């Protein structure tokens, strides 16, 4: 039996379900709102001011705060990092706050990679197997001359396609709205990359400027990879729990815990082995200080890969063997 | 005309924790014959069907379809099978046609070309492009049957196919299933808790109760076996008749109302019993032998449990 018609089936079912359209509506609405908020915010704070003055004021404020010595250590690390970044821009006469359409796309990728896009990815993933159980259609799906492994594989391929399209559409919508608000040009603008923070100091020896488009593709690639990993784990939840609500609830809780944990318990080092801690790949790439010592981009990519592969192995093992009694 | 064995189940057993759902169930279905699988709800019918179509794995026993072992050669075996398990659950957000196209993509090439013909067969051609969510239960049941026939199966496994159908619909489905078996030579396995349905539709019956098959045979055989059933004597004096019959060695004699006695009298023993009653001066108005139904057979073998 050919494999492609099975994938066609799964893609068609995804497209026909309302949740697919809802996810894209959410993307459009949210990005529109963010752009609107940014435009409004700039009007209020930055109108008619020379950016040099603004950035120098910020630098002075941070230096004062650091000297006061009352800042917690993690905040101080951050501040030092931000200071180095601002100073670098000042030295080269680049406005660090200037937003263009392309830069907005880059910002969106960065900001959405650890929560928004993974959340939307798991809306697809947590449903794709369990819905067959809740509808009862799994009985028809698994009584065909097709092995269970192939049925599940076709669902996995459809899920990967849906997540990929979603990340693409997210980027396109961000560029559309961002372009309308801040101008479409600016893909060639230099972006500074290569900051490394280690042991409380920011190492700028490797900093170099790359064109914005190159940086954006990389960041989107990382966000996409994080979404695939979340998709694979939610896929397992969907297989194990056989209920969309339960799978989605579990995954939501995990993702949200992942954003809270590093803040409330940053001293618990073992959390770097959790998949949620490793989701903000673009942050780790851009050289932000990691929430937990020991996390690097390579480490996080490796952890996510391990988690995703293990989840898929368990999902296939269970799905192929388990009795269907629902 | 039953032909070669299409489906054979040998010693199927399945337990869920401590509860034995199915225990040592065996049967065979031949080409061109309809086997009715009869039992009350909870008797193990659906569990058995789930094992037949590979949804559940038997703890022991084996299932063969055209000689292919289901657990070892699932894909080969399932090429011959069309089924409805429990309710005809289809994708409600898709149209009837989209559902059939969906399942045809999971079958060998050519299944999609049968869609129009099947829609006509189950009387859905006018509604094929409507969403299944707008279908009545009867229409979904018929779409389910079309779906089961898509792959041109040699074996049809249907779980309660009459569910949700009105009397006219039931008659239609019955005729359809009979013609599929008797004219096209399909082997059909039908489960039901409706005795009348099984009696009218099936060639052979297996009765399952509490996970075990209690009786199996052709409908005719089972009916004859139970005509060792009760005989009813309408008399002027039931008490006197009871004594006479008891003296004759007839068992299970009981007085019914003011003018009747019933007793278990075999065909061979009947003339002697009648002669004795007449000789004893009992006025005998009538002797009745209510024609036995599958229902009685069923009550007999299940020990009185109703369906």
């Amino acid at each position: 039996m050919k494999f492609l018609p099975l994938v066609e089936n799964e893609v068609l079912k995804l497209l026909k379900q309302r949740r697919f359209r809802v996810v894209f509506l959410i993307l459009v609405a949210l990005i529109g709102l963010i752009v609107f908020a940014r435009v409004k915010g700039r009007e209020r704070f930055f109108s008619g001011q020379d950016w040099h003055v603004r950035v120098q004021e910020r630098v002075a404020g941070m230096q004062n705060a650091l000297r006061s010595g009352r800042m917690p250590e993690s905040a101080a690390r951050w501040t030092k990092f931000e200071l180095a970044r601002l100073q670098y821009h000042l030295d080269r006469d680049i406005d660090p706050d200037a937003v263009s359409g392309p830069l907005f796309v880059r910002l969106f990728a960065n900001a959405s990679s650890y929560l928004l896009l993974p959340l939307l990815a798991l809306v697809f993933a947590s449903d794709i197997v369990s819905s067959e159980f809740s509808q009862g259609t799994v009985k028809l799906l698994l009584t065909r001359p097709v092995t269970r492994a192939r049925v599940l594989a076709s669902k996995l391929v459809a899920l990967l396609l849906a997540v990929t399209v979603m990340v693409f559409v997210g980027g396109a919508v961000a560029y559309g709205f961002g372009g309308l608000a801040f101008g479409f040009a600016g893909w060639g603008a230099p972006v500074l990359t290569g900051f490394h923070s280690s042991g409380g100091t920011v190492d700028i020896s490797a900093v170099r400027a790359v064109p914005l488009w190159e940086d954006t593709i990389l960041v989107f690639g990382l966000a996409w990879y994080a979404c695939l990993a979340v998709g694979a784990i939610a896929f397992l939840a969907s297989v194990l729990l056989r209920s969309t609500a339960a799978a989605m609830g579990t995954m939501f809780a995990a993702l949200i815990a992942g954003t809270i944990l590093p803040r409330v318990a940053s001293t618990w080092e073992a959390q770097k082995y959790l998949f949620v801690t490793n989701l903000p790949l673009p942050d780790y790439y851009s050289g932000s200080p990691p929430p937990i010592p020991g996390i690097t981009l390579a480490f996080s990519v490796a952890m996510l890969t391990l988690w995703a592969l293990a989840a898929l192995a368990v999902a296939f093992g269970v799905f192929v063997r388990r009795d269907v009694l629902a | 005309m039953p032909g070669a064995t299409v489906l054979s189940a040998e010693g199927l057993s399945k337990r869920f924790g401590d509860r034995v759902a199915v225990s040592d169930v065996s049967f065979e279905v031949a080409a061109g014959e309809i086997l009715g699988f009869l039992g009350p709800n909870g008797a193990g019918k659906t569990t058995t069907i789930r094992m037949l179509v590979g949804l559940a794995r038997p703890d022991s026993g084996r299932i063969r379809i055209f000689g292919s072992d289901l657990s070892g050669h699932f894909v080969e075996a399932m090429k011959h099978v069309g089924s409805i398990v429990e309710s005809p659950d289809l994708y409600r957000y898709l149209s009837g046609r989209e559902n059939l196209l969906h399942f045809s993509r999971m079958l060998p090439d050519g299944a999609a070309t049968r869609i129009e013909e099947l829609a006509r067969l189950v009387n859905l051609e006018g509604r094929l492009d409507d969403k299944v969510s707008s279908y009545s239960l009867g229409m979904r049941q018929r779409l389910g049957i079309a779906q089961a026939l898509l792959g041109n199966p040699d074996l049809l496994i249907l779980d309660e196919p009459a569910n949700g159908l009105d009397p006219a619909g039931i008659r239609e489905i019955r005729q359809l299933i009979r013609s599929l078996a008797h004219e096209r030579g399909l082997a059909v396995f039908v489960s039901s808790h409706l005795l009348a349905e099984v009696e009218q539709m099936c060639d052979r019956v297996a009765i399952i109760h509490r996970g075990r098959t209690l009786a199996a045979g052709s409908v005719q055989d089972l009916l004859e076996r139970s005509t060792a059933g009760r005989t009813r004597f309408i008399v002027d004096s039931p008490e006197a008749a009871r004594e006479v019959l008891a003296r004759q060695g007839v068992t299970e004699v009981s007085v019914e109302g003011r003018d009747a006695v019933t007793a278990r009298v075999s065909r061979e023993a009947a003339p002697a019993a009648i002669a004795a009653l007449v000789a004893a001066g009992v006025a005998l108005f009538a002797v009745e032998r209510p024609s036995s139904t599958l229902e009685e057979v069923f009550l007999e073998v299940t020990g009185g449990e109703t369906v």
Side-chain angles (χ1 to χ4, degrees):
Chain A
M1 194 67 11
K2 283 172 255 118
F3 186 60
L4 264 174
L6 301 183
V7 176
E8 187 185 346
N9 272 348
E10 297 308 323
V11 170
L12 280 177
K13 282 186 276 183
L14 262 179
L15 289 175
K16 288 273 180 176
Q17 278 172 311
R18 201 183 296 134
R19 68 183 62 242
F20 196 74
R21 274 160 277 161
V22 168
V23 161
F24 288 103
L25 278 180
I26 290 175
L27 268 181
V28 169
L30 260 176
I31 294 172
L33 186 71
I34 297 168
V35 168
F36 178 77
R38 256 198 111 81
V39 169
K40 286 290 164 198
R42 286 182 71 79
E43 277 169 8
R44 239 167 107 197
F45 289 110
F46 302 143
S47 55
Q49 220 182 11
D50 179 10
W51 69 264
H52 292 92
V53 179
R54 191 179 73 228
V55 173
Q56 266 153 0
E57 275 170 8
R58 220 152 85 204
V59 168
M62 285 180 188
Q63 281 166 341
N64 283 337
L66 274 178
R67 267 196 298 274
S68 76
R70 278 199 293 271
M71 202 179 266
E73 200 206 327
S74 59
R77 266 199 309 177
W78 246 110
T79 311
K80 279 183 201 153
F81 165 76
E82 184 63 9
L83 265 179
R85 193 181 73 90
L86 291 179
Q87 197 56 52
Y88 199 96
H89 282 84
L90 276 177
D91 293 348
R92 278 157 190 77
D93 204 28
I94 304 168
D95 180 357
D97 297 320
V99 176
S100 63
L103 192 58
F104 177 75
V105 176
R106 162 78 168 73
L107 289 173
F108 169 76
N110 216 350
S112 59
S113 67
Y114 67 94
L115 201 56
L116 176 63
L117 290 179
L119 279 183
L120 295 180
L122 73 83
V123 169
F124 299 134
S126 53
D127 183 65
I128 198 159
V129 176
S130 53
S131 65
E132 302 281 0
F133 282 89
S134 54
Q135 295 171 102
T137 43
V138 67
K139 294 173 299 194
L140 295 178
L141 210 56
L142 299 185
T143 53
R144 307 282 140 183
V146 179
T147 61
R148 289 191 185 187
R150 283 171 88 81
V151 171
L152 194 63
S154 69
K155 285 190 169 292
L156 181 63
V157 171
L159 171 65
L160 299 184
L161 287 174
V163 169
T164 305
V165 168
M166 178 198 72
V167 172
F168 255 102
V169 169
V173 172
Y175 186 47
F177 279 122
L180 286 175
F182 315 115
F184 288 98
W187 282 117
V191 192
L192 300 175
T193 183
F195 294 97
H196 283 286
S197 33
S198 54
T201 60
V202 178
D203 174 14
I204 56 168
S205 59
V207 168
R208 64 203 165 87
V210 295
L212 181 54
W213 62 264
E214 197 183 305
D215 195 55
T216 306
I217 288 176
L218 234 157
V219 169
F220 256 110
L222 293 173
W224 171 74
Y225 197 77
C227 285
L228 290 190
V230 170
I233 294 162
F235 191 70
L236 170 64
S238 191
V239 168
L240 288 183
L241 299 173
R242 285 168 293 183
S243 143
T244 305
M248 218 182 268
T250 310
M251 291 304 294
F252 275 162
L255 287 190
I256 289 165
T259 66
I260 297 172
L261 259 184
R263 283 180 215 166
V264 299
S266 62
T267 47
W268 180 43
E269 275 200 32
Q271 69 180 284
K272 70 181 176 189
Y273 300 111
L274 299 177
F275 81 92
V276 280
T277 317
N278 293 293
L279 283 181
L281 290 180
D283 278 357
Y284 303 154
Y285 153 73
S286 58
S288 308
I292 311 298
I295 288 187
T296 63
L297 181 62
F299 174 84
S300 286
V301 168
M303 283 313 293
L304 287 184
T305 308
L306 276 179
W307 271 91
L309 291 179
L312 292 181
V314 176
F316 274 84
V318 169
F319 189 78
V320 166
R321 281 184 192 85
R322 189 160 62 182
D323 284 351
V324 176
L325 302 167
Chain B
M1 265 320 105
T5 300
V6 173
L7 166 70
S8 84
E10 290 163 37
L12 294 183
S13 296
K14 179 83 181 171
R15 52 167 64 234
F16 300 112
D18 284 342
R19 194 174 71 81
V20 177
V22 171
S23 171
D24 198 25
V25 165
S26 303
F27 51 80
E28 288 190 345
V29 191
E33 104 174 322
I34 307 172
L35 175 70
F37 198 51
L38 183 64
N41 290 323
K45 295 192 302 277
T46 296
T47 305
T48 304
I49 286 199
R50 282 177 190 277
M51 291 192 279
L52 292 183
V53 295
L55 289 175
R57 228 176 267 259
D59 294 334
S60 61
R62 61 191 299 181
I63 296 160
R64 270 181 294 191
I65 296 170
F66 279 113
S68 304
D69 187 272
L70 188 64
S71 60
H73 302 91
F74 178 78
V75 171
E76 194 43 51
M78 291 311 284
K79 278 183 187 159
H80 302 287
V81 181
S83 65
I84 302 181
V85 179
E86 239 169 350
S87 42
D89 295 308
L90 292 134
Y91 298 100
R92 300 177 135 244
Y93 53 88
L94 300 180
S95 70
R97 187 189 305 279
E98 286 168 331
N99 267 290
L100 294 179
L101 278 169
H102 173 278
F103 291 113
S104 72
R105 287 188 204 102
M106 304 186 79
L107 293 164
D109 290 340
T113 58
R114 272 192 289 278
I115 289 179
E116 296 295 334
E117 174 201 335
L118 286 172
R120 268 195 305 281
L121 191 70
V122 299
N123 268 331
L124 273 178
E125 66 266 58
R127 296 290 304 276
L128 205 52
D129 290 305
D130 294 344
K131 284 221 166 105
V132 170
S133 54
S134 73
Y135 284 16
S136 68
L137 181 54
M139 292 170 72
R140 278 187 276 138
Q141 190 70 264
R142 301 207 302 266
L143 184 61
I145 288 175
Q147 164 278 131
L149 292 172
L150 257 184
N152 222 356
D154 304 298
L155 169 63
L156 210 49
I157 296 177
L158 304 173
D159 199 358
E160 305 276 358
N163 256 8
L165 297 178
D166 53 30
I170 292 179
R171 202 171 327 120
E172 249 172 61
I173 291 296
R174 189 194 309 143
Q175 280 163 3
L176 174 62
I177 292 174
R178 288 188 73 91
S179 81
L180 286 170
H182 299 155
E183 283 155 39
R184 291 217 225 158
L186 270 71
V188 184
F189 178 94
V190 183
S191 86
S192 181
H193 68 281
L194 298 175
L195 285 154
E197 195 48 47
V198 170
E199 190 169 358
Q200 291 176 65
M201 180 157 58
C202 301
D203 305 313
R204 284 198 307 129
V205 191
I207 294 175
I208 181 168
H209 186 60
R210 300 211 173 117
R212 295 174 176 278
T213 36
L214 294 182
S218 74
V219 173
Q220 215 51 46
D221 280 350
L222 285 181
L223 290 181
E224 270 165 28
R225 200 189 301 176
S226 92
T227 29
R230 303 189 71 81
T231 306
R232 194 174 150 98
F233 302 89
I234 312 290
V235 292
D236 59 346
S237 155
E239 274 306 322
R242 192 175 63 85
E243 277 169 35
V244 174
L245 288 172
R247 254 184 275 123
Q248 281 292 110
V250 172
T251 57
E252 293 178 42
V253 188
S254 65
V255 174
E256 261 188 26
R258 277 186 300 172
D259 64 348
V261 194
T262 61
R264 182 176 287 278
V265 183
S266 70
R267 192 181 162 81
E268 295 72 36
I274 293 168
L277 282 172
V278 173
V282 176
L284 187 60
F285 304 109
V287 181
E288 297 170 348
R289 211 175 172 87
S291 68
S292 106
T293 61
L294 207 45
E295 181 148 13
E296 287 169 312
V297 180
F298 186 86
L299 290 175
E300 235 176 85
V301 297
T302 62
E305 197 145 328
T306 49
V307 186

